[in-house]
Amino acid sequence: MIVTEDTELLDDLLRLCAAAGATPEVHHSVPAAPASSGQRGSWEAAPLVLVGDDAARRVRGAARRRGVVLVGRDQDDSGVWQRAVEIGADHVLMLPDGEQWLVDRIADVAEGVGRPALTVGVIGGRGGAGASTLACALAVTSAREGLRSLLVDADPLGGGLDVLLGGETAEGLRWPAFAASRGRVGSGALEESLPELHSLRVLSWDRGDRVTVPPQAVRAVLAAARRRGGTVVVDLPRRVDDGVAEVLAQLDVGLLVVPAELRAVAAADRVATAVGMVLRDLRVAVRGPYASGLDDREVARLLGLPLAGEVPVESGLLRATESRRPPGASARGPLARFCREFWERALVETGGAA
């Protein structure tokens, strides 16, 4: 809702609402509540109310509520803060400086943003560790459990997760289509634009020449993915460049997949050092078979990381992939059980997924 009689301010606010994909209700003062009892008026019901500074006195007697923003233009008017207190505003915003913040806030309301997605990154301790396989299995398992699920391929040199899922010809956008993204990406539009494979959405790379996406685009796309709720699984490369750093900054949990052999542990230690500079919650997932003298707890001890568990070896996985069945497709298989138990623990730790 917008409350103002200032036509220039109204034009600006309508422009910002349009940019955020919202259609506001406009009033010159506080609208009257409906005559029928038990119904809230639009002042109380609107998820966000933008009050022009010109209308502050007219809304002074309105019921106090959250989500009121007092919008003005005069940066030197110290009295605006007093007027904000009088109407119970949560924020004071000055245009044009606060335009981007306001667009984001309006878009949050328009999209019905709730709890952000539980976002998990998977990275190999060395080449061939099985990180992509685990990332796919986690996403497939999450979708099978009924959660909104998105799998993100952040490794442009990995061959494409859509291929691993058997969907390289599926219709939908790939990373290069988002290279020019700036500011805010609509989460609903992002989800609808991506290929849907095995009941989850997949953001992968195409077979073109582009192997980089600007960091600001990575930031905008992943932020949009997280706003949809559910789970997001990201398959990460072992190098940390600016784009990967943007992903790491938005992860809730990282899984470092490490084969149980000394050379792999040594390589994983370097990866963990680089990743740990950005990501606080990094855990090790150990994959057998085990070299002499090693077990999963010893690998975790050597790396100085919490143990997420032992990633089981699943017989027939290669044949399943060749037959276009993704990792984790067998709900009774050991890999799916590992993923299901991981999600159960992680969702409890974070308070669940939207």
Side-chain angles (χ1 to χ4, degrees):
M1 176 189 293
I2 297 174
V3 181
T4 185
E5 284 186 329
D6 185 330
T7 56
E8 291 186 5
L9 178 61
L10 178 59
D11 287 344
D12 282 337
L13 293 178
L14 290 175
R15 171 176 56 83
L16 297 178
C17 286
T23 303
E25 183 179 327
V26 179
H27 296 274
H28 296 315
S29 59
V30 178
S36 58
S37 60
Q39 286 188 312
R40 295 194 303 165
S42 53
W43 169 268
E44 292 85 2
L48 182 66
V49 178
L50 309 179
V51 178
D53 194 27
D54 66 289
R57 292 183 179 179
R58 295 193 297 279
V59 304
R60 190 180 296 167
R64 293 300 176 102
R65 49 151 296 163
R66 297 183 60 83
V68 175
V69 180
L70 184 61
V71 185
R73 293 179 180 280
D74 188 353
Q75 304 280 353
D76 298 323
D77 181 9
S78 59
V80 69
W81 300 100
Q82 178 61 37
R83 293 190 289 277
V85 171
E86 291 172 351
I87 67 172
D90 296 333
H91 299 278
V92 172
L93 184 82
M94 291 297 174
L95 299 180
D97 292 352
E99 285 193 356
Q100 187 57 59
W101 181 91
L102 189 54
V103 168
D104 288 346
R105 185 72 181 272
I106 297 169
D108 283 345
V109 169
E111 292 176 355
V113 172
R115 183 183 297 115
L118 173 56
T119 307
V120 178
V122 186
I123 186 169
R126 66 157 169 78
S132 296
T133 297
L134 179 57
C136 285
L138 284 168
V140 167
T141 302
S142 171
R144 186 168 51 239
E145 294 298 310
L147 298 173
R148 175 185 281 121
S149 305
L150 172 63
L151 177 62
V152 179
D153 185 355
D155 185 359
L157 302 180
L161 290 187
D162 53 351
V163 177
L164 187 56
L165 292 170
E168 61 271 21
T169 61
E171 293 186 2
L173 300 183
R174 269 64 172 181
W175 265 119
F178 299 98
S181 299
R182 299 291 187 274
R184 185 186 181 96
V185 174
S187 59
L190 171 68
E191 183 178 47
E192 292 300 319
S193 72
L194 299 178
E196 184 174 7
L197 303 169
H198 309 285
S199 300
L200 60 96
R201 297 286 178 169
V202 181
L203 175 54
S204 188
W205 293 85
D206 60 14
R207 262 42 73 185
D209 296 332
R210 178 181 282 276
V211 294
T212 60
V213 170
Q216 58 268 34
V218 175
R219 182 192 315 126
V221 169
L222 191 57
R226 297 185 73 237
R227 288 196 302 272
R228 290 297 283 174
T231 67
V232 175
V233 181
V234 186
D235 183 29
L236 291 159
R238 288 185 296 126
R239 70 185 187 284
V240 179
D241 56 20
D242 290 342
V244 173
E246 292 289 352
V247 176
L248 292 173
Q250 297 195 52
L251 295 182
D252 297 303
V253 182
L255 293 179
L256 180 64
V257 184
V258 183
E261 50 158 71
L262 287 177
R263 287 188 64 192
V265 172
D269 186 56
R270 294 188 175 186
V271 176
T273 299
V275 171
M277 295 177 67
V278 182
L279 177 62
R280 292 184 177 181
D281 191 351
L282 179 64
R283 311 175 191 182
V284 59
V286 183
R287 184 173 64 80
Y290 291 95
S292 177
L294 287 180
D295 60 19
D296 53 357
R297 290 183 175 82
E298 179 64 9
V299 172
R301 187 192 68 81
L302 291 171
L303 292 171
L305 295 173
L307 178 63
E310 177 187 354
V311 181
V313 176
E314 185 164 319
S315 60
L317 187 59
L318 180 59
R319 292 194 302 274
T321 302
E322 290 174 347
S323 65
R324 318 294 278 183
R325 295 183 67 230
S330 174
R332 297 182 178 180
L335 184 57
R337 287 199 302 272
F338 171 89
C339 294
R340 187 166 56 250
E341 291 170 1
F342 169 81
W343 286 124
E344 289 174 354
R345 293 193 305 269
L347 291 170
V348 168
E349 291 169 359
T350 59

